[in-house]
Amino acid sequence: MRNRVNIMLLIMTLLSMILAGCSKESTKSTVVEGDKGTIKAGDEKLPPYEVKLVFYGPAQKDLELVEKEMSQITLKKINATVKLERIEPAAWDQQTILMLTGNEQVDLIVTGGTEFSRQVAQKQLLPLDDLLKSQGQDILKALQPEILEATKVDGKIYAIPSIRDFASNTNVMMRKDLLEKYQLDASKVKTFDDLDPILETIRKNEPTITPLGKPGASAPILNRILESSWDILGDNIGVLNSLDDLKVVNLFETPEYAKLLKTVRRWYEAGYISKDASTSKETAVDLIKANVGFGVIQKGKPGALAQTETRTNTKLELVNIGKQVTSTTNITAIMLGIPANSKDPKRAMMFLNLLNSDRDLINLIDWGIEGKHYVKVGKSIDFPPGVNATNSGYNMRQGWMFGNQLLSHTWITDNPDLWNEMDQYNRESKKSAALGFSYNPSPVKTELAAITNVVRQYQSGLENGALDPEVNLPKFNAALHAAGIDKVIAEKQKQLDEWAAKNKKSGR
């Protein structure tokens, strides 16, 4: 019996030595309380807890290793371990709806766009204003007030945007080797119509090359232009007439939209766009990587060129068209919310605060474990010897999803000063007059369902050039009016006017 007691005393002594060593990195206000398993943060005792973060993304073999490394940090700081719950993108909607309507514990969840509006309307996300004041001080320091304003619904904050590219412009990327081969000067491109001579040269001389590909599998040729030219107010069904006023109009009846359709139709008829662009899932990146594509109209931001070159393994020339703009839609596209299902919302906010302030934590979730998944090379990082994109156990590359991306390392192919450039790009962007307005589609959900069917019928064909706009644009708009777009625009305008009056905004 005495030997057993002595062994227990020895174990307790060793444990106390280990805990004493760990506490060296803790703040003076954090005290480990040993046998109770709690810690004291300021005036508050924190019992052990597991914070579950739910997100979508590709499978990662070493996900559990990364969450264990993250837990070493969070245990010291907020007495919580981390559970990273990954969901396949294709299953995201179905699984998260089940999670949030059931009783399953979820402490943080990726949200944004119409999904965010639905979750707020169904009271599945908690208001965060009080939690931010008590547990989110670093978030308040990191985000400009106008950015947080953009997340409000009926005056309350329901999610925190990841700190990333809040602004965007439109750019064109083209293969450098073919530009040089035919002595084509990309700097002369100031408008989209200026692309014609370049695209025509490629079409005539490179019959196996598609001159212009789509920016995404389901995104038409014109998609990124629309997103960076109007404030789409969440869904494109009623947009701002201009960024400087608060007048909601039908995008599909604007002269600018009609002009873009004529341009893309001309490109389609000239053979610059694939004839199956409306139905194919192949993107410009796919085509360029396979050496059968030339260019793409893409979303612009600092680092976009280097990232696309890495994805295509091809040197590209970039031409920016238009100034970067910031809208509520840009900001609220990717956020983290605390669901009503959280068993400890305060601890969830503490963890979210760390994701916006702790460099070690953010680099673990963004890049994995140093030495295993990446190594430092000067001011940047790269794969360790023998590791690459195909065999790495953690190569998610979704830093734009989690907390403050500006705290993360830059990859070897990026400019080491990328995050300073991004911060400046965001601050210098043109801000929409409706920045901060969030639209609630619930009053017109019946009309929106009918409109969605009309959009599916016409939009892809028109915006990929396959449908003649002279014939089909009037049909498109007639069908939209029949489906109730005027009622939707009136409702959006009503909500916008109410928001403007409440927030003392002007623009009409």
Side-chain angles (χ1 to χ4, degrees):
M1 181 70 178
R2 184 180 299 171
N3 286 340
R4 189 174 298 174
V5 171
N6 287 338
I7 290 170
M8 291 299 297
L9 286 171
L10 177 61
I11 291 170
M12 290 175 69
T13 302
L14 288 171
L15 282 172
S16 67
M17 290 172 65
I18 291 170
L19 289 172
C22 289
S23 66
K24 287 180 182 177
E25 294 185 21
S26 302
T27 61
K28 291 182 180 178
S29 63
T30 300
V31 180
V32 177
E33 296 207 340
D35 58 339
K36 294 181 182 178
T38 63
I39 68 170
K40 190 176 180 184
D43 296 326
E44 187 172 11
K45 290 182 179 180
L46 299 175
Y49 189 69
E50 180 184 73
V51 180
K52 183 192 285 188
L53 167 58
V54 178
F55 66 98
Y56 58 83
Q60 305 295 317
K61 181 168 63 74
D62 292 343
L63 189 66
E64 288 188 14
L65 294 179
V66 170
E67 72 181 21
K68 285 178 182 177
E69 289 291 320
M70 292 177 68
S71 295
Q72 289 187 30
I73 296 171
T74 54
L75 272 170
K76 294 175 188 176
K77 296 197 171 185
I78 61 172
N79 201 26
T81 55
V82 176
K83 174 63 179 174
L84 300 177
E85 179 109 355
R86 183 198 69 88
I87 295 176
E88 280 291 330
W92 176 254
D93 287 344
Q94 182 180 7
Q95 288 197 32
T96 54
I97 287 171
L98 290 173
M99 276 182 172
L100 297 182
T101 53
N103 294 317
E104 183 175 348
Q105 178 193 333
V106 182
D107 296 293
L108 284 172
I109 190 166
V110 172
T111 186
T114 54
E115 175 183 57
F116 170 65
S117 300
R118 183 187 72 242
Q119 290 164 353
V120 172
Q122 294 177 355
K123 302 187 184 306
Q124 293 171 343
L125 296 178
L126 297 174
L128 304 180
D129 303 76
D130 292 339
L131 287 170
L132 272 170
K133 289 174 186 174
S134 61
Q135 315 293 346
Q137 293 90 343
D138 291 316
I139 295 172
L140 295 174
K141 290 176 189 175
L143 283 168
Q144 295 171 270
E146 63 188 8
I147 301 299
L148 272 177
E149 280 291 319
T151 71
K152 288 186 176 180
V153 178
D154 294 330
K156 294 181 180 178
I157 296 169
Y158 285 91
I160 305 301
S162 57
I163 303 178
R164 56 183 200 285
D165 52 319
F166 293 138
S168 66
N169 69 306
T170 308
N171 65 40
V172 184
M173 296 187 200
M174 297 169 279
R175 277 175 52 178
K176 206 170 238 185
D177 60 337
L178 294 178
L179 289 172
E180 291 173 354
K181 181 178 179 179
Y182 298 108
Q183 299 181 331
L184 298 168
D185 186 357
S187 68
K188 291 181 179 178
V189 176
K190 307 297 181 185
T191 69
F192 297 111
D193 290 332
D194 294 338
L195 286 170
D196 286 66
I198 294 176
L199 298 175
E200 177 63 14
T201 300
I202 300 302
R203 187 197 67 81
K204 280 185 177 179
N205 295 283
E206 300 286 344
T208 62
I209 300 288
T210 299
L212 197 60
K214 298 193 298 183
S218 301
I221 296 289
L222 294 183
N223 181 265
R224 303 302 188 246
I225 303 175
L226 303 182
E227 289 182 350
S228 300
S229 301
W230 283 271
D231 185 335
I232 64 172
L233 298 176
D235 61 4
N236 263 333
I237 310 303
V239 303
L240 286 193
N241 191 45
S242 84
L243 292 175
D244 294 316
D245 70 32
L246 297 175
K247 173 68 175 172
V248 182
V249 300
N250 178 3
L251 166 67
F252 310 112
E253 288 184 323
T254 61
E256 294 84 359
Y257 183 74
K259 184 176 185 297
L260 285 169
L261 291 188
K262 288 180 181 178
T263 298
V264 77
R265 176 64 174 176
R266 184 177 70 245
W267 291 343
Y268 178 87
E269 290 185 312
Y272 307 156
I273 298 168
S274 172
K275 296 302 180 187
D276 65 350
S278 298
T279 55
S280 172
K281 296 298 182 184
E282 280 192 314
T283 69
V285 166
D286 297 328
L287 297 174
I288 294 170
K289 189 174 183 179
N291 199 32
V292 292
F294 169 72
V296 61
I297 299 172
Q298 191 57 279
K299 178 182 176 181
K301 64 176 182 177
L305 177 62
Q307 289 161 17
T308 308
E309 286 182 335
T310 299
R311 291 171 64 198
T312 59
N313 196 29
T314 306
K315 284 293 179 184
L316 303 169
E317 184 89 8
L318 180 147
V319 177
N320 283 310
I321 298 179
K323 181 177 171 59
Q324 67 268 32
V325 302
T326 297
S327 68
T328 302
T329 308
N330 290 115
I331 293 168
T332 60
I334 296 292
M335 301 186 288
L336 286 170
I338 299 177
N341 289 9
S342 174
K343 306 301 181 189
D344 192 339
K346 282 188 178 181
R347 202 76 59 94
M349 178 56 75
M350 289 178 185
F351 178 55
L352 183 52
N353 193 60
L354 289 176
L355 287 175
N356 282 275
S357 58
D358 191 294
R359 289 181 183 275
D360 293 335
L361 195 67
I362 203 68
N363 277 298
L364 275 166
I365 197 168
D366 285 359
W367 300 114
I369 301 167
E370 183 178 355
K372 182 176 181 64
H373 304 118
Y374 72 88
V375 291
K376 290 181 180 176
V377 180
K379 295 181 179 180
S380 301
I381 60 172
D382 198 355
F383 288 118
V387 178
N388 56 46
T390 60
N391 64 17
S392 175
Y394 193 87
N395 187 38
M396 191 153 54
R397 295 181 181 261
Q398 292 182 180
W400 41 267
M401 184 179 278
F402 308 108
N404 189 350
Q405 190 181 23
L406 308 192
L407 296 177
S408 69
H409 298 310
T410 53
W411 197 252
I412 190 73
T413 52
D414 286 320
N415 182 346
D417 203 35
L418 173 62
W419 301 132
N420 288 329
E421 287 185 1
M422 186 74 77
D423 185 51
Q424 184 177 353
Y425 180 82
N426 286 337
R427 292 176 187 276
E428 292 179 354
S429 68
K430 170 76 173 176
K431 308 298 191 294
S432 167
L435 187 64
F437 168 67
S438 293
Y439 160 60
N440 178 7
S442 298
V444 286
K445 60 184 179 182
T446 302
E447 288 78 11
L448 283 169
I451 288 167
T452 299
N453 290 330
V454 174
V455 168
R456 284 176 181 160
Q457 182 180 352
Y458 286 98
Q459 189 174 31
S460 180
L462 285 168
E463 294 178 13
N464 283 309
L467 294 179
D468 182 355
E470 294 290 337
V471 175
N472 292 282
L473 183 56
K475 291 180 180 179
F476 182 25
N477 277 305
L480 288 170
H481 286 298
I485 194 170
D486 297 307
K487 184 177 178 181
V488 173
I489 289 173
E491 175 62 30
K492 190 174 278 191
Q493 185 71 69
K494 173 176 167 285
Q495 292 184 28
L496 183 57
D497 290 343
E498 290 171 352
W499 170 84
K502 196 178 204 179
N503 293 277
K504 298 179 180 177
K505 302 283 184 179
S506 62
R508 289 184 71 188

